[in-house]
Coordinates of all heavy atoms in Angstrom, one line a residue:
Chain Y
V12 N -2.9 -33.6 -47.0 CA -2.7 -35.1 -46.8 C -1.5 -35.3 -46.0 O -0.6 -34.4 -45.7 CB -2.5 -35.7 -48.2 CG1 -3.7 -35.6 -49.0 CG2 -1.3 -35.2 -48.9
I13 N -1.3 -36.6 -45.5 CA -0.1 -37.0 -44.8 C 1.1 -36.8 -45.7 O 1.0 -37.2 -46.9 CB -0.2 -38.4 -44.3 CG1 -1.3 -38.5 -43.2 CG2 1.1 -38.8 -43.7 CD1 -1.5 -40.0 -42.7
D14 N 2.1 -36.2 -45.2 CA 3.3 -35.9 -46.0 C 3.9 -37.2 -46.7 O 3.9 -38.3 -46.0 CB 4.4 -35.3 -45.2 CG 5.6 -34.8 -46.0 OD1 5.5 -33.7 -46.6 OD2 6.6 -35.6 -46.1
Y15 N 4.3 -37.1 -47.9 CA 4.7 -38.3 -48.6 C 5.9 -39.1 -48.0 O 6.1 -40.3 -48.1 CB 5.1 -38.0 -50.1 CG 6.5 -37.4 -50.3 CD1 7.6 -38.2 -50.4 CD2 6.6 -36.0 -50.2 CE1 8.9 -37.6 -50.6 CE2 7.9 -35.5 -50.4 CZ 9.0 -36.3 -50.5 OH 10.2 -35.7 -50.7
A16 N 6.7 -38.4 -47.2 CA 7.9 -39.0 -46.6 C 7.6 -39.7 -45.3 O 8.5 -40.4 -44.8 CB 9.0 -37.9 -46.4
V17 N 6.4 -39.5 -44.7 CA 6.1 -40.1 -43.4 C 6.0 -41.6 -43.5 O 5.4 -42.1 -44.5 CB 4.8 -39.5 -42.9 CG1 4.3 -40.2 -41.7 CG2 5.1 -38.0 -42.5
K18 N 6.4 -42.3 -42.5 CA 6.2 -43.8 -42.4 C 4.8 -44.0 -41.8 O 4.5 -43.7 -40.7 CB 7.2 -44.5 -41.5 CG 8.6 -44.6 -42.1 CD 9.4 -45.7 -41.5 CE 10.8 -45.7 -42.0 NZ 11.8 -45.0 -41.1
I19 N 3.9 -44.5 -42.7 CA 2.5 -44.6 -42.3 C 2.3 -45.8 -41.3 O 2.9 -46.8 -41.4 CB 1.6 -44.9 -43.5 CG1 1.8 -43.8 -44.6 CG2 0.1 -45.0 -43.1 CD1 1.3 -42.5 -44.2
R20 N 1.5 -45.5 -40.3 CA 1.2 -46.6 -39.3 C -0.4 -46.8 -39.3 O -1.1 -45.8 -39.2 CB 1.7 -46.3 -37.9 CG 3.2 -46.5 -37.8 CD 3.7 -46.1 -36.5 NE 3.3 -44.7 -36.2 CZ 3.2 -44.2 -34.9 NH1 3.3 -45.0 -33.9 NH2 2.9 -42.9 -34.8
V21 N -0.8 -48.0 -39.3 CA -2.2 -48.3 -39.2 C -2.7 -48.1 -37.7 O -1.9 -48.5 -36.8 CB -2.5 -49.8 -39.6 CG1 -4.0 -50.1 -39.4 CG2 -2.2 -49.9 -41.1
R22 N -3.8 -47.5 -37.6 CA -4.4 -47.3 -36.2 C -4.7 -48.6 -35.5 O -5.1 -49.6 -36.2 CB -5.6 -46.4 -36.3 CG -5.4 -45.0 -36.4 CD -6.7 -44.2 -35.9 NE -7.9 -44.7 -36.2 CZ -8.7 -44.2 -37.1 NH1 -8.4 -43.1 -37.8 NH2 -9.9 -44.7 -37.4
P23 N -4.6 -48.7 -34.2 CA -5.0 -49.9 -33.5 C -6.4 -50.4 -33.8 O -6.6 -51.6 -33.8 CB -4.9 -49.5 -32.0 CG -3.9 -48.4 -32.0 CD -4.1 -47.6 -33.3
D24 N -7.3 -49.5 -34.1 CA -8.7 -49.9 -34.3 C -8.8 -50.4 -35.8 O -9.9 -50.9 -36.2 CB -9.7 -48.8 -34.1 CG -9.6 -47.6 -35.0 OD1 -8.8 -47.7 -36.0 OD2 -10.2 -46.6 -34.7
K25 N -7.8 -50.4 -36.5 CA -7.7 -50.9 -37.9 C -8.8 -50.3 -38.8 O -9.2 -50.9 -39.8 CB -7.9 -52.4 -37.9 CG -6.7 -53.1 -37.3 CD -6.7 -54.6 -37.7 CE -5.3 -55.2 -37.8 NZ -5.3 -56.4 -38.6
L26 N -9.2 -49.1 -38.5 CA -10.2 -48.4 -39.4 C -9.6 -47.3 -40.2 O -10.2 -46.6 -40.9 CB -11.4 -47.9 -38.6 CG -12.3 -49.0 -38.0 CD1 -13.3 -48.4 -37.1 CD2 -13.0 -49.8 -39.1
G27 N -8.3 -47.1 -39.9 CA -7.6 -46.0 -40.6 C -6.2 -45.9 -40.3 O -5.6 -46.9 -39.7
V28 N -5.5 -44.8 -40.6 CA -4.1 -44.7 -40.3 C -3.9 -43.6 -39.3 O -4.8 -42.7 -39.1 CB -3.3 -44.4 -41.5 CG1 -3.3 -45.5 -42.5 CG2 -3.7 -43.1 -42.2
V29 N -2.8 -43.6 -38.6 CA -2.5 -42.6 -37.5 C -2.3 -41.2 -38.2 O -1.4 -41.1 -39.1 CB -1.3 -43.0 -36.7 CG1 -1.0 -41.9 -35.7 CG2 -1.5 -44.3 -36.0

Side-chain angles (χ1 to χ4, degrees):
Chain Y
V12 297
I13 295 179
D14 187 83
Y15 78 89
V17 168
K18 287 201 186 101
I19 305 289
R20 286 175 300 154
V21 174
R22 278 205 319 253
D24 66 10
K25 290 196 149 201
L26 290 174
V28 297
V29 176

